[in-house]
């Protein structure tokens, strides 16, 4: 059985993570970026996101096979308890349960932080991604019709939402992912990292 692990990403992972992401930019409408991202810029993105939210990598025998992270949903202060989520899997590891394992761990960490709502924005049609999010209890909120132009066509963007807790009363201050108890983080990650490949 291959050794699998889920852990928090760090800047040393940037090149390997970007190697998974770049084909999504250049060959798909999963990402709405057009051009390659310089590795230093990509590192800055990771650093900015991990200052507040969890960014996880799933490794197989030390190789990063996929990653998932939460990120800022909207900038205004009143949105502080919302986030967006994304998951990307290396092409050789699709449909092996890695995305599911990453999301299980990611959402449990987000809940521990005090997040209330998680959003996913999906270029449609994309049956696989929509099905994955529905499996995790996401509901379809609506569609931005013809909102993005890529590869010679206008694209629709589906907005999906998962509620982690009911909004009653004033929320507690959000806990940055880096400030979560290390024991709690380890406990959560260990629960989901074992997959037979």
């Amino acid at each position: 059985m291959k050794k699998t692990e889920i852990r928090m990403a760090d800047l040393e992972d940037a090149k390997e993570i970007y190697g998974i992401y770049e084909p999504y930019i250049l060959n798909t409408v999963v990402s709405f970026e057009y051009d390659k991202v310089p590795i230093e810029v990509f590192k800055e993105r990771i650093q900015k996101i991990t200052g507040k939210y969890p960014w996880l990598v799933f490794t197989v025998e030390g190789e990063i096979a996929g990653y998932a992270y939460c990120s800022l949903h909207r900038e205004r202060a009143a949105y502080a308890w919302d986030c967006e989520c994304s998951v990307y899997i290396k092409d050789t590891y699709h449909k092996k349960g890695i995305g599911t394992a990453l999301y299980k761990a990611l959402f449990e960490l987000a809940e521990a932080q005090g997040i209330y709502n998680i959003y996913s924005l999906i270029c449609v049609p994309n049956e696989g991604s929509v099905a994955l999010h529905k499996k995790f209890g996401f509901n379809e909120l609506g569609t931005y019709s013809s909102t993005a132009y890529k590869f010679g066509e206008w694209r629709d963007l589906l907005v999906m939402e998962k509620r982690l807790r009911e909004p009653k009363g004033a929320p507690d201050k959000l806990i940055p992912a880096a400030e979560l108890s290390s024991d709690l983080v380890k406990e959560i990650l260990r629960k989901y990292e074992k997959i037979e490949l």
Side-chain angles (χ1 to χ4, degrees):
M1 186 171 163
K2 293 185 177 179
K3 182 178 182 345
T4 57
E5 180 184 20
I6 299 176
R7 60 174 174 79
M8 292 285 200
D10 60 43
L11 290 183
E12 298 301 312
D13 298 318
K15 188 173 181 182
E16 204 172 347
I17 291 171
Y18 181 72
I20 295 171
Y21 180 55
E22 185 179 276
Y24 286 94
I25 298 173
L26 301 179
N27 306 320
T28 78
V29 292
V30 170
S31 169
F32 281 168
E33 297 198 70
Y34 281 11
D35 302 316
K36 294 181 179 183
V37 180
I39 195 65
E40 289 309 315
V41 173
F42 197 70
K43 281 183 178 180
E44 287 171 10
R45 290 184 188 179
I46 293 173
Q47 192 165 33
K48 183 176 180 182
I49 289 170
T50 56
K52 187 169 184 180
Y53 301 102
W55 186 315
L56 305 178
V57 294
F58 188 102
T59 65
V60 179
E61 298 292 340
E63 172 195 6
I64 297 177
Y67 66 94
Y69 62 93
C70 291
S71 60
L72 185 68
H73 175 60
R74 304 275 292 176
E75 287 191 14
R76 300 292 182 261
Y79 293 110
W81 296 270
D82 300 334
C83 68
E84 289 183 24
C85 64
S86 299
V87 60
Y88 293 91
I89 307 300
K90 194 170 189 175
D91 57 1
T92 50
Y93 288 101
H94 281 246
K95 299 192 181 299
K96 297 188 183 296
I98 291 172
T100 295
L102 282 165
Y103 261 4
K104 283 180 178 177
L106 186 72
F107 298 155
E108 200 166 324
L109 289 171
E111 188 167 9
Q113 286 186 269
I115 296 285
Y116 277 66
N117 304 299
I118 301 182
Y119 296 92
S120 182
L121 282 65
I122 303 167
C123 181
V124 288
N126 186 337
E127 292 178 9
S129 186
V130 172
L132 175 66
H133 288 85
K134 283 186 174 178
K135 172 180 165 181
F136 278 97
F138 281 76
N139 297 307
E140 296 184 17
L141 294 185
T143 302
Y144 292 125
S145 298
S146 300
T147 192
Y149 186 81
K150 188 170 181 183
F151 297 151
E153 290 183 35
W154 286 98
R155 308 292 176 168
D156 294 344
L157 190 67
L158 174 66
V159 181
M160 300 187 76
E161 176 192 59
K162 176 181 177 65
R163 178 154 287 164
L164 294 179
R165 53 172 46 86
E166 286 305 310
K168 294 179 181 175
D172 293 330
K173 187 176 178 184
L174 201 69
I175 303 169
E179 294 178 18
L180 289 171
S181 155
S182 60
D183 288 341
L184 174 65
V185 171
K186 284 178 187 173
E187 179 187 332
I188 290 170
L189 300 185
R190 296 299 81 86
K191 277 198 283 188
Y192 304 115
E193 67 183 6
K194 300 302 179 197
I195 293 179
E196 289 192 27
L197 297 171

